[in-house]
């Protein structure tokens, strides 16, 4: 079995709280990087990803990938995988 390491790529990411600020509160839906994000309940949003809809919660980061795609990531995994530049 071979081992691999991630190539160093720069991504953008925001917290749940930063997303809420962009939406000026907790809107029913908002546009972010060309994607429509819809509120699921008081604490979560539906994020359209390449793999289908996923939920973004208060303890998640919203990542914009190298091709402009968006997807949620748990903060603890994000912190183990990425560092701020």
């Amino acid at each position: 079995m071979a081992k691999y390491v991630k190539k160093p790529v720069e991504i953008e990411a925001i917290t749940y709280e930063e997303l809420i600020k962009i939406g000026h509160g907790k809107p029913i839906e908002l546009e972010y990087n060309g994607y429509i994000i819809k509120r699921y309940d008081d604490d979560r949003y539906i994020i359209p990803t390449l793999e289908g809809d996923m939920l973004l919660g208060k303890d998640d980061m919203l990542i914009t990938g190298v091709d402009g795609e968006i997807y949620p990531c748990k903060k603890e995994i994000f912190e183990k995988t990425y560092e701020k530049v």
Side-chain angles (χ1 to χ4, degrees), residues 1-83:
M1 176 183 344
K3 292 191 178 210
Y4 295 86
V5 75
K6 276 189 175 185
K7 292 179 180 179
V9 294
E10 192 171 301
I11 54 106
E12 291 182 6
I14 63 172
T15 64
Y16 174 91
E17 292 80 17
E18 291 169 324
L19 180 67
I20 297 304
K21 286 181 186 175
I22 290 170
H24 305 288
K26 292 186 179 180
I28 292 178
E29 71 177 38
L30 64 112
E31 184 177 338
Y32 179 75
N33 284 0
Y35 294 92
I36 301 299
I37 296 174
K38 297 180 181 181
R39 187 169 65 189
Y40 181 75
D41 58 26
D42 283 344
D43 297 323
R44 295 179 291 179
Y45 278 83
I46 300 170
I47 307 300
T49 75
L50 297 176
E51 288 95 27
D53 292 344
M54 300 178 91
L55 291 176
L56 174 82
K58 290 183 175 185
D59 293 326
D60 297 335
M61 300 290 291
L62 181 59
I63 295 175
T64 302
V66 294
D67 291 326
E69 74 282 11
I70 61 173
Y71 55 95
C73 180
K74 295 289 178 203
K75 276 186 186 175
E76 58 269 10
I77 293 175
F78 181 85
E79 291 168 354
K80 290 178 183 177
T81 309
Y82 299 97
E83 61 184 33

